[in-house]
Amino acid sequence: MKRLTYIITLMLIVWMPVTESRSQSHVVNTHFSVFFPVGKTVLDTAYTSNGCSLSAMLDYLSAVRRDSSLLLLNVQITGMASPEGSYETNRRLANRRAQALASWLRAHTDTELPLVLADNMGVGWSLLDTLTLDSPRLSPYTASMAHILSLDSTQVSYHRGLTIDRRVLLLRRAQGGRLWPILMRDVYPQMRMARAEVDVARVETPPTIVCPAPEPMPEPAPAAPTVAPSTADTVATTAETPCQRHIILKTNAVAWAFLISNIAIEMDVAPHWSVALPVNFSAWNYFSNSRKYRTFSLYPECRYWPSACNTGFFVGAHLGMAYYNVAFGGRYRTQDRGGHRPALGGGVSAGLRLPVSRNRRWQMELSAGVGVYSLNHDKFYNQPNGLKAYTENKTYTGIDQASLSLCYVFDFKRGRK
């Protein structure tokens, strides 16, 4: 009887359809954050590091979609606000910031994303606790901050029917009011944000186990060896990704001071690299025929930025070409030979570009350069229709660039497959 039972059981195992099961493991959570100016809910890609973060997120999602062994579980969007405002205002700001990020993602991805908006968005008190520990300026107030943040959230009446978390009032009054300005400057800008948390799992397909055919003997067949799943592959959470590219239009105030009209365009071509083309033109005298600086010049330049997002300090190398007709009230007027032998050369430069507006669209650039140029020009007597005195060949070495430029930044839209 026992033998018959064993044979029937073994036959059922052999003939039972074998189905492949897919198990999920190695779940990785990666988050990307974008920031907003105080009281704003419009997502500006040029504000702080938003361009880099958004570009990194799109590249990460694209890499996940291309890898058949990865499964995108969900993208949870959370909005946050700093605690200055009322309870109702902070909830509204947080929700709209989350919706702004979600809308941007939907508009810039080709496939339907499993987006999930978090519940109960508002002030990120847990984030405030973390940021407090990271700020050395707040170390003298650690004990006071820890006590206040450990209290329960209680809404109290504040002004004209508005409610506010009582912890906000305590933070304003802590340490005689010295704590609040530090929070406003160092911590709260990092809380005005929206965050996308991307959950990705590696999908593993275990090997199909084929049961051996039944044998006349009651002993069970030896189990087939199983292949241990590989854990070598993991999802990278912090990969090198290109930043948001920009096109920058600018004009040099130093050149305008000498009545030289000018404009320049610059474009990011890669992280750390950009190319620029300044154009200068002047066709006017300085209030008399014996004083003039008439020129048409081009200075194509390649720049290297230590920052991957092409901001801050830079160094560059440039070429130069300039047609010129110059006189400064002396005995001679200098003009490129025959009007068709421009100065030719090139040099190196260095400078600094920093934002001057909250949205970082308007920026100021300070730069200077030195170069070497071959000059072949005619000398004329400096008077109306003055005769040619002589021709001169020389090499100029010295400053060839000096700029204090006002810049405006445009986003450079890149197509994505």
Side-chain angles (χ1 to χ4, degrees):
M1 186 65 181
K2 290 183 178 180
R3 170 174 286 192
L4 180 60
T5 302
Y6 173 77
I7 293 174
I8 293 174
T9 303
L10 191 57
M11 291 179 64
L12 289 174
I13 293 175
V14 171
W15 293 104
M16 185 180 297
V18 178
T19 60
E20 293 186 2
S21 63
R22 293 165 66 89
S23 62
Q24 299 173 9
S25 61
H26 308 301
V27 176
V28 176
N29 176 273
T30 308
H31 68 267
F32 303 87
S33 300
V34 292
F35 299 90
F36 297 80
V38 59
K40 302 298 183 181
T41 59
V42 176
L43 180 53
D44 187 348
T45 59
Y47 183 68
T48 65
S49 59
N50 286 353
C52 294
S53 182
L54 291 170
S55 180
M57 179 164 40
L58 291 181
D59 289 341
Y60 180 74
L61 292 172
S62 178
V64 170
R65 288 198 299 266
R66 290 195 303 267
D67 193 334
S68 60
S69 67
L70 299 179
L71 177 63
L72 179 61
L73 300 178
N74 62 71
V75 181
Q76 179 166 292
I77 309 294
T78 305
M80 296 186 192
S82 51
E84 304 100 295
S86 67
Y87 175 77
E88 293 79 6
T89 299
N90 289 332
R91 281 183 57 83
R92 183 176 69 254
L93 288 173
N95 278 278
R96 289 184 178 177
R97 287 166 179 169
Q99 292 169 6
L101 178 56
S103 298
W104 192 95
L105 279 173
R106 292 191 185 100
H108 289 79
T109 53
D110 300 331
T111 58
E112 189 71 22
L113 289 178
L115 294 178
V116 178
L117 291 178
D119 297 326
N120 300 321
M121 289 181 283
V123 176
W125 290 103
S126 60
L127 177 61
L128 175 58
D129 195 10
T130 302
L131 294 174
T132 299
L133 298 176
D134 295 338
S135 175
R137 290 168 54 88
L138 291 173
S139 55
Y141 312 109
T142 302
S144 295
M145 287 285 296
H147 171 69
I148 294 173
L149 296 178
S150 67
L151 300 176
D152 295 334
S153 176
T154 302
Q155 304 303 316
V156 296
S157 179
Y158 179 63
H159 178 68
R160 294 185 178 180
L162 298 177
T163 59
I164 195 170
D165 196 302
R166 65 166 177 166
R167 291 174 290 183
V168 176
L169 298 178
L170 294 175
L171 289 173
R172 286 180 178 273
R173 299 167 184 167
Q175 302 294 323
R178 295 188 299 273
L179 174 61
W180 188 260
I182 300 176
L183 293 172
M184 290 281 290
R185 181 171 56 253
D186 294 353
V187 178
Y188 291 165
Q190 302 176 65
M191 300 177 65
R192 304 169 191 135
M193 60 177 289
R195 172 177 293 173
E197 297 189 21
V198 184
D199 289 330
V200 174
R202 182 167 295 281
V203 180
E204 297 178 349
T205 303
T208 302
I209 300 176
V210 180
C211 297
E215 296 183 1
M217 298 301 293
E219 289 79 13
T226 58
V227 180
S230 173
T231 59
D233 298 327
T234 56
V235 179
T237 59
T238 55
E240 284 283 339
T241 54
C243 295
Q244 173 72 39
R245 296 184 184 178
H246 301 100
I247 294 177
I248 300 169
L249 196 65
K250 51 191 176 181
T251 188
N252 180 8
V254 175
W256 282 109
F258 290 92
L259 304 181
I260 302 174
S261 57
N262 67 94
I263 193 168
I265 188 169
E266 182 175 350
M267 184 175 69
D268 298 331
V269 294
H272 302 290
W273 295 96
S274 68
V275 292
L277 179 62
V279 180
N280 301 317
F281 175 75
S282 174
W284 303 281
N285 297 334
Y286 293 137
F287 313 111
S288 73
N289 288 331
S290 62
R291 288 183 174 85
K292 64 189 68 181
Y293 191 90
R294 300 182 178 184
T295 183
F296 173 76
S297 59
L298 300 172
Y299 293 94
E301 183 176 27
C302 179
R303 291 179 170 183
Y304 174 78
W305 304 78
S307 167
C309 293
N310 299 4
T311 59
F313 176 76
F314 68 88
V315 293
H318 59 269
L319 300 175
M321 181 203 74
Y323 294 92
Y324 54 96
N325 183 0
V326 181
F328 295 106
R331 185 178 182 182
Y332 297 107
R333 174 177 62 86
T334 304
Q335 183 175 356
D336 54 271
R337 187 173 180 181
H340 57 269
R341 294 292 297 273
L344 297 174
V348 294
S349 61
L352 183 70
R353 187 164 67 216
L354 297 172
V356 294
S357 65
R358 283 189 173 184
N359 63 4
R360 303 178 72 89
R361 293 288 184 188
W362 290 101
Q363 302 190 7
M364 190 69 70
E365 179 183 299
L366 178 65
S367 68
V370 295
V372 179
Y373 290 82
S374 173
L375 306 179
N376 187 343
H377 51 237
D378 298 324
K379 290 284 190 175
F380 296 86
Y381 291 106
N382 191 14
Q383 60 189 34
N385 299 317
L387 297 177
K388 178 180 175 181
Y390 61 92
T391 298
E392 183 179 44
N393 291 302
K394 62 185 299 186
T395 299
Y396 169 80
T397 302
I399 296 175
D400 65 342
Q401 286 189 12
S403 69
L404 177 62
S405 299
L406 181 64
C407 315
Y408 188 79
V409 179
F410 298 89
D411 292 338
F412 178 60
K413 304 297 184 183
R414 293 179 296 169
R416 291 182 176 271
K417 294 184 179 180

